[in-house]
Amino acid sequence: MGRLPIRIIFELGGRFAHMPFPATRLRRLRKTPSLRDLMCDVRVCPADLVCPVFIDESGGKTNVESMPGISRIAPGDIVGEVKEILGLGIRGVMLFGVPASKDDEGSGAFADDGLVQNAIRDIRGSLGDKIAVMADVCLCQYTKSGHCGLVKDGTTIDNDSSLEALARTAVSQARAGVDVVSPSAMMDGQVGAIRAALDRDGFGDVAIMSHSAKHASSFYAPFRDAAACAPQFGDRKSYQVPYTSARTSIQEVATDVEEGVDIVMIKPALAYLDIIAESRRRFDLPIAAYSVSGEYALVKNAASGGMIDGQAVTHEILTAIKRAGADIIVTYFAKEAAAVMCDCR
Ligand code: PBG
């Protein structure tokens, strides 16, 4: 043996002679359930969750076929539904309207006696401020085209005329008593236009939770079935963010922040944890993640096929979304997950 190897062996021996091997014992703190609970640094509670609710103008409760366990409810049942959600410790609902008729202007979205506006008034009337009332601000359920903005020249989605309709929608929801409006149309300038309209009409205290980085995702398919809002021509790629450019996702968030957004939302959630984490690092605002319909459907189908433990996987997914940096999680799992969570208080 040459001189060098002998020296290395000598030095290693000297350095570790006083330590039992292995030197690092991370397993010490995993020994019992109590120790594991004490070491936990991320917990999801019902109070982190927002439950989406579909209100169907055409009447009774109907199951959404592509989302097992989720139903559309009749306008008359909204208060009962929200009471149940509140009883589980959940602190917010996100309302989506499924109107009986559509037109080219999406006028049902901003009607003062529209589906969502009436629901907001009903919830407020019965439950006061016991639960945060949030409402989707978009046109796609209300337009014949199924697009999130207004169509010009037959095929283009016109940005600026859409902004007016979105701002009117937000103001009509504010008049009904909404706490948080949640624009999801991905028109440029939607946060600025909505903020200006709300402030002008005296609703400076209504907050905006924008779908800041809403990606053009195939995970939305079950929602389009639930809300009957699939585009009738083309797709949403000219306005939603491509998932192939993280830089663009962050620019979208930055633009909303400049326009005065109160809560930033990233959507979908599970395949976009990097965008959530990066937004958390860069922006000092509350961050919401929307765990969308396709994410829900994947888990439900695998669980009903006996391939995974649905409840355990749901908890793991929600924890991962929170660990990535989300403060708020909008999720179709809200009710069933809240029912088995500790309330963290
Ligand atoms: C439409 C809207 C969509 C979702 C929320 N708002 C669908 C879409 O953009 O096509 C998707 C939500 C989900 O999949 O759960 N403005």
Side-chain angles (χ1 to χ4, degrees), residues 26-175:
L26 294 170
R27 291 184 55 194
R28 227 174 248 147
L29 298 178
R30 294 175 201 156
K31 223 166 45 181
T32 66
S34 329
L35 282 169
R36 292 195 290 272
D37 277 352
L38 285 165
M39 296 315 130
C40 165
D41 61 21
V42 53
R43 278 192 177 86
V44 188
C45 318
D48 298 321
L49 308 178
V50 170
C51 186
V53 179
F54 298 108
I55 310 155
D56 189 350
E57 193 169 29
S58 60
K61 188 169 170 169
T62 49
N63 295 332
V64 179
E65 257 169 49
S66 51
M67 301 174 71
I70 300 294
S71 26
R72 285 177 286 255
I73 59 161
D77 296 336
I78 184 70
V79 172
E81 175 71 15
V82 177
K83 276 188 184 156
E84 191 186 326
I85 292 167
L86 181 62
L88 291 162
I90 297 166
R91 311 297 286 129
V93 286
M94 171 73 73
L95 307 178
F96 290 96
V98 188
S101 64
K102 304 172 191 265
D103 59 24
D104 289 333
E105 293 75 40
S107 59
F110 44 81
D112 270 321
D113 61 348
L115 252 184
V116 168
Q117 289 79 0
N118 288 340
I120 296 167
R121 265 188 297 268
D122 290 348
I123 298 167
R124 275 260 174 269
S126 312
L127 299 170
D129 59 6
K130 289 204 180 91
I131 192 160
V133 182
M134 307 182 167
D136 184 60
V137 175
C138 195
L139 303 179
C140 63
Q141 288 105 287
Y142 303 90
T143 49
K144 283 189 169 156
S145 69
H147 276 290
C148 303
L150 300 175
V151 180
K152 198 165 104 180
D153 305 331
T155 53
T156 30
I157 313 307
D158 186 54
N159 198 81
D160 295 2
S161 57
S162 304
L163 290 183
E164 277 170 47
L166 294 169
R168 279 181 77 180
T169 303
V171 169
S172 69
Q173 294 173 349
R175 242 182 250 126

Side-chain angles (χ1 to χ4, degrees), residues 186-198:
M186 287 309 289
M187 295 297 125
D188 283 335
Q190 62 183 12
V191 169
I194 289 171
R195 185 72 271 155
L198 288 171

Side-chain angles (χ1 to χ4, degrees), residues 138 140 184 214 220 223-224 236 240 267 292-293 332:
C138 195
C140 63
S184 66
K214 178 179 179 186
Y220 304 148
F223 176 95
R224 292 178 189 172
R236 306 208 201 287
Q240 297 182 344
K267 178 178 181 175
V292 303
S293 55
Y332 303 98

Side-chain angles (χ1 to χ4, degrees), residues 247-264:
R247 193 167 50 234
T248 310
S249 310
I250 298 300
Q251 273 173 349
E252 286 281 1
V253 177
T255 315
D256 278 6
V257 172
E258 275 164 30
E259 290 176 28
V261 79
D262 299 284
I263 305 168
V264 160

